[in-house]
Amino acid sequence: AQTVTQSQPEMSVQEAETVTLSCTYDTSESNYYLFWYKQPPSRQMILVIRQEAYKQQNATENRFSVNFQKAAKSFSLKISDSQLGDTAMYFCAFMTHQGGSNYKLTFGKGTLLTVNP
Amino acid sequence: DTGVSQDPRHKITKRGQNVTFRCDPISEHNRLYWYRQTLGQGPEFLTYFQNEAQLEKSRLLSDRFSAERPKGSFSTLEIQRTEQGDSAMYLCASSLVREKLFFGSGTQLSVL
């Protein structure tokens, strides 16, 4: 079974600075998806960024980028120019690409990010 | 695209009572998922529908839990004889393709 580990329960950053959230995962598969989701106080899970394991290029979405290290099974999220609205729980998640359960997301426990003014 | 809608937002019930939650997915999304999130944890998969067919149920879903998706549109999740351990947020998500899920805001259940 796949596992996702987020070792930082809480982090804080000053507005306009850069912060990196860590995620490691364990799988024996070679092809899969990795995700970062944001859950603000409104509770709705919002997709921040997605990476396909077979793509070597790191995904980028505006101020959000990832550092995907497949051999190390590491998938960190970098937030540049942090904004107050980035304050939220951030969850790393894994989805297998193959087999009968290729629709299930496996989530980490989350990192609470606080952006301070 | 009005998003995934869940009702109610909050539910407080007494132990032993039955509760039912509703999820309205994004129209034209044929895939629908239920997840459960407890305090301090990430969401955990409960069940998955493709159209009206329930294709998988997690072992987290005891016999007291039942989910339906009649006609492949909205879905309901019912918990019978609620227990305090059922207290959690129940999240619904829908998708057209499996790797792009849209989540609702969840139903927060408190069992007293």
Side-chain angles (χ1 to χ4, degrees):
Chain A
Q2 291 83 12
T3 58
V4 177
T5 302
Q6 294 180 248
S7 58
Q8 305 151 316
E10 295 186 37
M11 292 192 72
S12 63
V13 65
Q14 292 299 121
E15 197 175 4
E17 294 188 347
T18 296
V19 64
T20 299
L21 309 183
S22 301
C23 172
T24 58
Y25 59 94
D26 188 25
T27 184
S28 57
E29 298 173 8
S30 59
N31 203 7
Y32 44 86
Y33 293 101
L34 293 164
F35 306 83
W36 278 98
Y37 279 88
K38 167 185 176 180
Q39 188 176 41
S42 66
R43 305 181 332 197
Q44 185 175 17
M45 298 283 282
I46 301 166
L47 178 64
V48 174
I49 201 163
R50 181 181 72 202
Q51 175 81 41
E52 296 181 67
Y54 71 88
K55 289 187 177 178
Q56 293 188 341
Q57 186 172 6
N58 289 325
T60 299
E61 288 286 343
N62 301 314
R63 298 182 295 107
F64 300 88
S65 61
V66 297
N67 183 4
F68 173 46
Q69 300 289 327
K70 191 173 183 179
K73 296 180 183 175
S74 170
F75 183 62
S76 61
L77 174 70
K78 185 171 83 171
I79 306 175
S80 305
D81 186 25
S82 298
Q83 301 176 358
L84 296 177
D86 295 334
T87 293
M89 281 291 287
Y90 285 81
F91 291 96
C92 179
F94 173 100
M95 179 186 281
T96 182
H97 212 293
Q98 56 214 32
S101 294
N102 60 353
Y103 44 77
K104 274 193 260 192
L105 285 166
T106 300
F107 287 88
K109 290 188 175 183
T111 296
L112 177 60
L113 175 68
T114 302
V115 180
N116 298 308
Chain B
D1 180 352
T2 58
V4 177
S5 177
Q6 291 189 247
D7 185 66
R9 287 267 294 174
H10 299 92
K11 179 70 178 179
I12 300 173
T13 191
K14 292 183 179 178
R15 190 176 52 186
Q17 297 293 304
N18 299 343
V19 294
T20 300
F21 311 140
R22 178 179 169 122
C23 171
D24 286 273
I26 294 171
S27 58
E28 91 260 7
H29 280 191
N30 61 336
R31 300 168 185 253
L32 187 144
Y33 316 80
W34 286 96
Y35 283 78
R36 181 170 70 187
Q37 185 178 16
T38 53
L39 202 60
Q41 303 293 321
E44 294 174 292
F45 171 83
L46 291 180
T47 191
Y48 164 58
F49 289 86
Q50 189 159 333
N51 299 310
E52 66 273 13
Q54 187 175 21
L55 297 187
E56 184 172 348
K57 286 176 61 172
S58 163
R59 60 177 180 276
L60 292 176
L61 231 56
S62 75
D63 291 343
R64 298 183 296 105
F65 288 72
S66 63
E68 294 183 343
R69 192 184 183 197
K71 302 179 184 176
S73 56
F74 70 93
S75 175
T76 58
L77 178 66
E78 181 183 15
I79 309 174
Q80 296 182 327
R81 305 180 303 281
T82 52
E83 300 173 357
Q84 287 185 326
D86 298 331
S87 295
M89 185 156 68
Y90 291 83
L91 293 167
C92 177
S94 71
S95 72
L96 198 54
V97 293
R98 60 187 179 87
E99 68 272 16
K100 198 168 185 181
L101 272 67
F102 293 84
F103 282 84
S105 295
T107 293
Q108 182 68 52
L109 173 66
S110 297
V111 181
L112 305 178

